Amino acid sequence: MNFELYSFWRTSATFRVRVALNLKGLQAVEHDVDLVAGQQRSADFLAINPMGAIPALIDKRPGQSPAPLTQSTAILEFLEEAYPAPALLPVDLHERARVRSLCAMLTADTHPLMPPRVKKYLTSVSGFDEAAWRAWQTHWLTTGLTAFEQRISTDRASADYCHGSQVGMADICLASVVMIARVFKLDLPAMPTVDAVMQRCDQLPAFARAAPHLQQGAPKL
Amino acid sequence: MNFELYSFWRTSATFRVRVALNLKGLQAVEHDVDLVAGQQRSADFLAINPMGAIPALIDKRPGQSPAPLTQSTAILEFLEEAYPAPALLPVDLHERARVRSLCAMLTADTHPLMPPRVKKYLTSVSGFDEAAWRAWQTHWLTTGLTAFEQRISTDRASADYCHGSQVGMADICLASVVMIARVFKLDLPAMPTVDAVMQRCDQLPAFARAAPHLQQGAPKL
């Protein structure tokens, strides 16, 4: 086993890493860090990742640094560089930039607005109740995914998947954000192109096996 | 002139691209898109970038697609791939992952919480006044930059710059976020390592020439 992955069952960023490992045929021992119980601030976990954040990927291959690889987008790029096949990015530089740009619409423009620490601020400082929080989540998921839908539905570079006919990094990022709406049962407007891509992803074992409710620590359905 | 850059003077994400172009010795014709006046939603600009977002970099080199390159992190990676020297990322795969992880702490964990559209939601929907907005900005800049300070001050991989003794992608991202505190005159706690890196960056012409108040459309100081 070449990798250890510190994760939490429903964390969107961990999901990205899990899918990328699966797509590349890599196996990782996964360790559950219960964010609800605050385990990310435990001495045990801080000894592994002093930043107290997941996902944290440990490279156990001989001769590699024990320092954790952190931040999902950096880990995806690392896996792509360390294990180029199957590729998650196209070869052409403009196409690579397009895929990374699609990823950033989700991992930078959308997802960072809704982690637990943002909920904590809005509920404890700004007086958000549960309905206001769900409206916030719904607003930013709708904003981000509607823009994404517009982009992939109007650009012929998108086909079966977000870029062309091969699954890749943008699909991973898309699924990781759609997952948030699923986990929290949020109603989003119709997005036919996004839905079609997601249906294809859902059928791939690499995505299906990464589903939140199948992971360690997930509540029984 | 090989590139055209659609930009707004004080936009942190545009600043990143401007510095990377400067560091690589590339020149771009810059076009001001006045976000305050809503020019990003004008028909003229939507014809260039249908997503209505800046930065948008047009590659004018012969034979290249006229589609805009968008999202600052994707553009930085593109420039690094298209113009490898001087390098903005190290060679070693773990080190590359470290730099990208440092970047993501800023471009994903921190900056996305404070663009104009987030201010608009919080002031128009959530009742934030100017003080509450400034407290929000200050809180997330403090959270992000304090974590960043902890990381670069405790890891020997950081030296004169965020990674080693050569300026790179993490320094660009750091400067782009510190810039927000400067533009809006926000008080942040002391961060000696961040400050030392920033002092070095400020002295580099590539950063100095990219400063917001020197750009088209900036108010006179």
Side-chain angles (χ1 to χ4, degrees):
Chain A
M1 206 66 83
N2 286 331
F3 293 100
E4 293 191 13
L5 177 63
Y6 289 82
S7 64
F8 183 55
W9 67 275
R10 74 173 178 216
T11 300
S12 193
T14 303
F15 173 87
R16 288 173 207 141
V17 175
R18 213 182 273 136
V19 175
L21 289 165
N22 289 346
L23 283 170
K24 291 191 178 284
L26 301 168
Q27 294 193 311
V29 177
E30 206 161 323
H31 301 284
D32 181 36
V33 181
D34 186 341
L35 299 191
V36 175
Q39 282 182 0
Q40 71 277 23
R41 292 182 297 273
S42 70
D44 281 357
F45 184 61
L46 290 174
I48 291 155
N49 180 12
M51 303 312 295
I54 60 155
L57 186 73
I58 314 293
D59 188 345
K60 306 292 283 186
R61 297 174 299 170
Q64 298 295 332
S65 160
L69 301 162
T70 57
Q71 292 281 350
S72 66
T73 51
I75 297 173
L76 294 187
E77 295 279 354
F78 168 80
L79 292 173
E80 180 72 355
E81 293 180 336
Y83 298 92
L88 302 178
L89 287 171
V91 173
D92 175 82
L93 299 196
H94 271 253
E95 292 184 37
R96 293 166 76 81
R98 177 175 186 267
V99 171
R100 288 184 173 121
S101 171
L102 287 168
C103 290
M105 290 178 72
L106 303 160
T107 61
D109 288 353
T110 306
H111 178 227
L113 290 159
M114 53 199 77
R117 64 202 183 102
V118 173
K119 180 177 186 180
K120 188 175 170 200
Y121 187 102
L122 289 173
T123 53
S124 68
V125 178
S126 312
F128 274 41
D129 58 14
E130 191 63 24
W133 170 250
R134 287 177 68 83
W136 167 273
Q137 285 179 300
T138 304
H139 175 81
W140 295 117
L141 285 173
T142 300
T143 301
L145 288 170
T146 303
F148 197 90
E149 168 76 20
Q150 179 195 332
R151 191 161 168 199
I152 66 169
S153 66
T154 54
D155 184 341
R156 288 188 311 168
S158 296
D160 285 352
Y161 291 102
C162 292
H163 189 81
S165 57
Q166 194 181 326
V167 70
M169 213 178 274
D171 306 295
I172 294 174
C173 294
L174 176 61
S176 77
V177 166
V178 169
M179 198 191 93
I180 301 171
R182 291 180 179 179
V183 165
F184 294 105
K185 299 183 169 48
L186 301 168
D187 282 329
L188 302 183
M191 301 175 196
T193 319
V194 163
D195 288 347
V197 170
M198 283 300 299
Q199 278 190 18
R200 289 188 189 93
C201 291
D202 286 339
Q203 288 167 13
L204 300 176
F207 286 73
R209 284 193 285 121
H213 68 275
L214 298 178
Q215 310 309 314
Q216 289 176 59
K220 296 268 179 276
L221 279 187
Chain B
M1 206 64 82
N2 286 331
F3 293 100
E4 293 191 12
L5 176 63
Y6 289 83
S7 64
F8 183 54
W9 67 276
R10 74 173 178 217
T11 300
S12 192
T14 304
F15 173 87
R16 289 173 207 141
V17 175
R18 211 182 274 136
V19 176
L21 289 165
N22 289 347
L23 283 170
K24 290 188 178 287
L26 301 168
Q27 293 194 310
V29 177
E30 204 161 326
H31 301 285
D32 180 38
V33 180
D34 186 341
L35 299 191
V36 175
Q39 281 182 0
Q40 70 277 25
R41 292 182 297 273
S42 70
D44 280 356
F45 184 63
L46 290 174
I48 291 155
N49 180 12
M51 303 312 296
I54 59 156
L57 186 72
I58 314 292
D59 188 345
K60 306 292 284 187
R61 296 174 299 169
Q64 298 296 334
S65 159
L69 301 163
T70 57
Q71 292 281 350
S72 65
T73 51
I75 297 173
L76 293 187
E77 295 279 354
F78 168 80
L79 292 173
E80 181 71 357
E81 292 180 337
Y83 298 92
L88 302 178
L89 287 171
V91 172
D92 175 82
L93 299 196
H94 270 252
E95 292 184 37
R96 293 166 76 82
R98 178 175 186 267
V99 172
R100 288 183 173 123
S101 171
L102 287 168
C103 290
M105 290 178 73
L106 303 161
T107 61
D109 287 354
T110 306
H111 179 226
L113 289 160
M114 53 199 75
R117 64 202 184 101
V118 172
K119 180 177 186 180
K120 187 174 171 202
Y121 187 101
L122 289 173
T123 53
S124 67
V125 177
S126 311
F128 274 41
D129 58 15
E130 191 63 22
W133 170 250
R134 287 178 69 82
W136 167 273
Q137 285 179 301
T138 303
H139 175 80
W140 294 116
L141 285 173
T142 300
T143 302
L145 288 170
T146 302
F148 197 89
E149 169 76 19
Q150 180 195 332
R151 193 162 168 197
I152 66 170
S153 65
T154 55
D155 184 342
R156 288 189 308 169
S158 296
D160 285 352
Y161 292 102
C162 292
H163 189 81
S165 57
Q166 195 181 325
V167 70
M169 213 179 273
D171 306 295
I172 294 174
C173 295
L174 177 61
S176 77
V177 167
V178 169
M179 197 191 94
I180 301 171
R182 291 179 178 179
V183 166
F184 294 105
K185 299 183 169 49
L186 301 168
D187 281 329
L188 303 183
M191 301 176 195
T193 318
V194 163
D195 288 347
V197 170
M198 283 299 300
Q199 278 189 18
R200 291 190 187 93
C201 291
D202 286 339
Q203 288 167 14
L204 300 176
F207 286 74
R209 283 193 284 122
H213 67 275
L214 297 179
Q215 309 310 314
Q216 289 178 58
K220 296 269 180 273
L221 278 186

